[in-house]
Amino acid sequence: MMKQYVLKRFFLLLPTFLGITGLTFFMLQLAPGDPAALKAQSFTELLADPQQTEAVVTETQKLYGLEKPLSLQYLLWLKRIVLFDFGESYRDHRPVMAKIAEALPITLLLNALTLLVIFVIAFPLGAYNALKPNSFHDRVSALFLFLLYSLPSFWFALLLIVLFAGGDYLNLFPLIGIFSDGAERLPWYGRIGNLLWHLILPVIVLSVANIAFLSRFVRASLVEVMKKEYIRTAYAKGLSPFQVMVKHAFKNALLPLVTLFGSLLPALLSGSVIVEQIFSIPGMGRLSFESVLARDYPVIMGITVMTATLMLISYFVTDIVYGFLDPRLRLHERRGL
Amino acid sequence: MKMRSHFKTFRCCGSCHLRRSTSPLARGAPGIQRRRHPDYVDFKMTSKIFFTLLFLLLTSCTYRLERDARELVMHLAAEPATLNLLTYSDHYGAQVLGNIYERLIDVDAKTLTFTPKLATHWEISADGKTITFFLRENIRWHDGFPFTADDVIFTFERILDPAVDAPRLRQQYLDVEKLEKINDYTIQFHYKRPYFGAFFTAGALPVLPKHVFKAGENFNAHEIGRSPIGTGPYRFVSWEKGRSLRLVRHEEYWDHKPQIKGIVFNIIPNGTVAFQFLKKGGLDLFELSPMQWEKQSSSHSFQERFRKYHYFPPNFSFIAWNMRRPLFADKRVRQAMTMLLDRSSIIEKQLGGLGKIVTGSAYPLSKDYDTSIEPLPYNPERAIALLREAGFDDHDGDGLLDREGVVFEFTYLYPNNSNFGKKIGLLLQRQLQNVGIRMHLEQLEWATLLSRMQKRDFDALSLSWIPPLQADPFQLWHSSQADRGSNISGFRHAEVDRLLEEGRTLFDEDERAKRYQKVHRLLYEEQPVLFLFQMPTLAAVSKRFENVQAYPLGLKPREWTIESTAMLKAW
């Protein structure tokens, strides 16, 4: 039974993948703007007449392979993807994969640290608030968290920079990149220190809104579970609230969180455009943003494929894990529901 | 987790910490082994460790670096896509490559005349179609190979090669019939037609080292795009993707060696952040925005560390009217538009007194610019009268101007990164509203704006133009450029056409200037675009550097001397 369920989910992946990449491909090409014209735009003096200039643009389109009909372009692209050939960027003619391989580790590191911070703060906070729902403490922290949640990250990042990293007030943190210039001269522990020093502000900006969101989520989920009868039974056994929470409440309260984990992996890799732009971090967010502006189709498609694949895999895994964790789901499957 | 009897209370963990300190357990009563609650976390200890670590992190020097004061740290607002001299297409690439590569001729910053560089001298034939350059001998590339005519020929061939991704450059050399090698140190350009701009274009030909390329290699993906090799005063050292680029002085440089030992470009996309980085001592040279120039750089601590400079390089901003649309086909309407926008007060109130009103497309410091032309005044009454003459009036009494049942209504496009375009748009919108014209604002991302511009699908468009030093107004205003070229307004004027055609073939500067001044006057009468301002470039330079001069074309760090060489904090 389980096997059928897994297989069914698995075979749904392929059409979804084609759908995502196909849509992205056609939307990209149909959006106004042409990479060849962008590159050829010239504000210098020309003796040549416009016809000749246009011939140059056409040559460049051919160089990029843009002269063929769209559907054919998509099929050719698919064929290359199957062979793991993602092509080369229009901007600098480097392999797309090399560009992604440069940006990915940076985003990965930044987001992994952020996630860590989010979980370490949000879970205890949510649980603590769930202990006494609607108490004064719960209300104050709710207010505070909503405040944090609604801070525009752009504004918050600039505020942090001006206060803690600018030349005017406190000048404690660096504000660009993830290493100081010349950090390769430092010993390994110095390099780690230098890296962490650079990541403090970006991680704060990235985690603030999510801490607010996740801790409220955990709290809501826990409060729901804490009303259940088996919790009362646990208390009756003489367990402390802490033990009740950890041993009995959490397990059930975390079930809805599994869905949340499904979107975690893609989020880990996609990067934040705003934070990466502000802190000059050359990660995935900035790469996608710049590629879109330059209409660098191969790079955008490469990123799409990667994100789509990871998203599909993580949803697939989530579905299956869900099935394992919650026997009720499997039962439904068996009944054909 | 095991249950423990002495913690059998509901409120254990919230307060057990407190309780423990009064219990015999915590006091460490003799004979009783101290036992920990399994859920007990020693917060005091954790926070102690945390704060110690934080303290260490903030105070220790193991992660901090110093930087060499003999280096100049500059700012790039975006990463160059590539450092390939032929295929790069952004302003950022140009900023870096200008220090590494040299061209045949150079422009003197002070006198704005052409000076020898890789070429020692040149000859232009009587018919103007042949230009001969005599190259300097004994120049070596950064890797030690000698520079010869073969390098020039090779580069030129690459530019014309359709497989090379250099459409921008190729367009400029379409009129060269052939480039001939006379001997190892002499080359000759043959042009199809005589053209006064040919010398400048030919002399500006980029030159790559032929010896690093192998036959049959993919030029676009070549290593030279990531580690360029030139003949200039600075040598490429490293490129940390997305972070910085580093150049170092070439000690065997053939010409006068600069005093600055190296140049570092920091890539910082956000302007506010870059300004903060300047203030905390991370940058030595920075282009200020008008706001930063006026309001944010007058503090004592800023003045103490930086000097401010401004200069007026060739540039002008304008609003192009689409003359193909019936609304803007009448020159009286276009004149009225200009008179409805109070340009002097914009300069004063919005641009902090910076900027000059321009009346034409030529560089105001050049001979082609007629300084006697008075800008149209701000005069709403006269504008309304002109609009009436053109047939626009509020015929149906709805408060909006109309003509033959068509309401005066149009859309103004501006690039989404242009604060200036937005500001001007909002002001114009308010002014037009007062006289009963409805203007909509629409901001577009650059690629989209460009494609709308090329399709001529717009009513009004806000843009800035950065012409080269020796500008040819032909492509901006000749009617042949109206459908596909840079004449985006669709301006067609027989007299202007004739003058422009004549001007191109004249090699005498003064003769040419006569024609171009006439064009200037006709243009201002016709107002195909609303000429706005020439804006200065504003710069802050660290006081560590001396002998800093602001020339019309910019600053020249190559002349600077260094005041202090003490090591600086690196961020």
Side-chain angles (χ1 to χ4, degrees), chain B residues 250-478:
Chain B
H250 182 50
E251 297 302 331
E252 288 87 48
Y253 183 49
W254 61 273
D255 201 1
H256 180 70
K257 254 195 299 178
Q259 211 184 344
I260 291 172
K261 228 183 92 186
I263 303 178
V264 179
F265 295 90
N266 273 313
I267 300 155
I268 311 172
N270 184 294
T272 314
V273 174
F275 187 53
Q276 292 294 333
F277 198 57
L278 171 84
K279 284 203 277 193
K280 73 191 284 175
L283 296 171
D284 296 323
L285 169 58
F286 181 67
E287 258 184 39
L288 300 164
S289 72
M291 198 115 93
Q292 289 161 348
W293 168 275
E294 207 203 337
K295 302 220 171 86
Q296 296 165 2
S297 58
S298 37
S299 71
H300 179 67
S301 73
F302 191 91
Q303 303 279 356
E304 217 171 38
R305 292 180 297 147
F306 299 99
R307 279 193 204 95
K308 295 198 274 186
Y309 300 88
H310 76 291
Y311 49 90
F312 286 86
N315 78 86
F316 68 95
S317 47
F318 59 92
I319 301 169
W321 310 115
N322 192 346
M323 293 169 62
R324 302 163 196 87
R325 303 268 155 104
L327 266 186
F328 297 109
D330 192 324
K331 85 173 174 194
R332 285 171 294 192
V333 174
R334 302 191 301 264
Q335 284 169 346
M337 289 300 189
T338 310
M339 283 192 263
L340 281 171
L341 189 66
D342 190 353
R343 283 143 292 145
S344 329
S345 94
I346 289 177
I347 288 190
E348 245 167 70
K349 291 185 190 138
Q350 305 283 331
L351 305 174
L354 303 158
K356 294 175 185 166
I357 298 179
V358 292
T359 55
S361 57
Y363 185 33
L365 290 180
S366 76
K367 287 180 182 168
D368 301 345
Y369 191 90
D370 185 350
T371 45
S372 67
I373 295 174
E374 279 291 316
L376 285 176
Y378 168 63
N379 192 339
E381 287 80 31
R382 240 178 90 196
I384 292 170
L386 277 171
L387 285 170
R388 269 214 189 106
E389 258 179 60
F392 285 101
D393 212 335
D394 187 8
H395 295 104
D396 51 7
D398 63 350
L400 292 174
L401 296 186
D402 54 85
R403 182 176 63 184
E404 290 153 12
V406 184
V407 176
F408 200 139
E409 185 176 24
F410 68 96
T411 306
Y412 165 96
L413 305 182
Y414 65 97
N416 62 352
N417 57 359
S418 167
N419 248 333
F420 176 81
K422 186 177 187 174
K423 235 182 234 177
I424 298 288
L426 288 169
L427 284 165
L428 186 64
Q429 187 182 40
R430 201 178 314 145
Q431 295 278 7
L432 294 183
Q433 209 168 19
N434 291 340
V435 300
I437 297 172
R438 194 180 280 160
M439 179 178 121
H440 307 279
L441 274 90
E442 192 180 343
Q443 60 170 350
L444 291 176
E445 169 247 3
W446 180 243
T448 314
L449 188 80
L450 193 73
S451 94
R452 290 276 295 267
M453 187 170 95
Q454 279 162 346
K455 283 186 210 137
R456 309 298 194 221
D457 175 20
F458 67 94
D459 299 326
L461 187 65
S462 162
L463 276 180
S464 282
W465 190 264
I466 303 171
L469 188 62
Q470 198 180 44
D472 178 0
F474 186 92
Q475 65 158 345
L476 280 177
W477 312 117
H478 194 272

Side-chain angles (χ1 to χ4, degrees), chain A residues 39-40 44-48 53-54 59 64 92-93 165-166 168 171 173 179 181 194 197 241 295, chain B residues 3 10 62-64 81 165 170-171 175 241 243-244 246 276 279-280 445-446 468 472 475 484 504:
Chain A
K39 194 117 189 203
T44 42
E45 310 309 307
L46 304 172
L47 190 57
T53 320
E54 234 162 63
E59 277 169 19
Y64 294 162
D92 55 5
H93 294 276
D168 294 329
N171 195 356
F173 296 103
F179 278 116
D181 210 17
N194 194 281
W197 187 45
R295 302 291 189 269
Chain B
M3 259 170 41
F10 271 62
T62 52
Y63 64 94
R64 294 296 304 261
D165 187 11
R170 202 174 317 140
Q171 293 171 42
D175 271 288
K241 281 279 170 195
R243 174 67 173 83
S244 65
R246 181 179 288 274
Q276 292 294 333
K279 284 203 277 193
K280 73 191 284 175
E445 169 247 3
W446 180 243
D472 178 0
Q475 65 158 345
R484 275 174 288 198
R504 309 194 92 175

Side-chain angles (χ1 to χ4, degrees), chain A residues 88-109:
Chain A
E88 59 178 39
S89 155
Y90 294 158
R91 291 184 75 212
D92 55 5
H93 294 276
R94 293 176 61 220
V96 170
M97 272 302 128
K99 296 189 81 158
I100 292 180
E102 252 168 30
L104 195 57
I106 296 169
T107 296
L108 212 58
L109 173 72

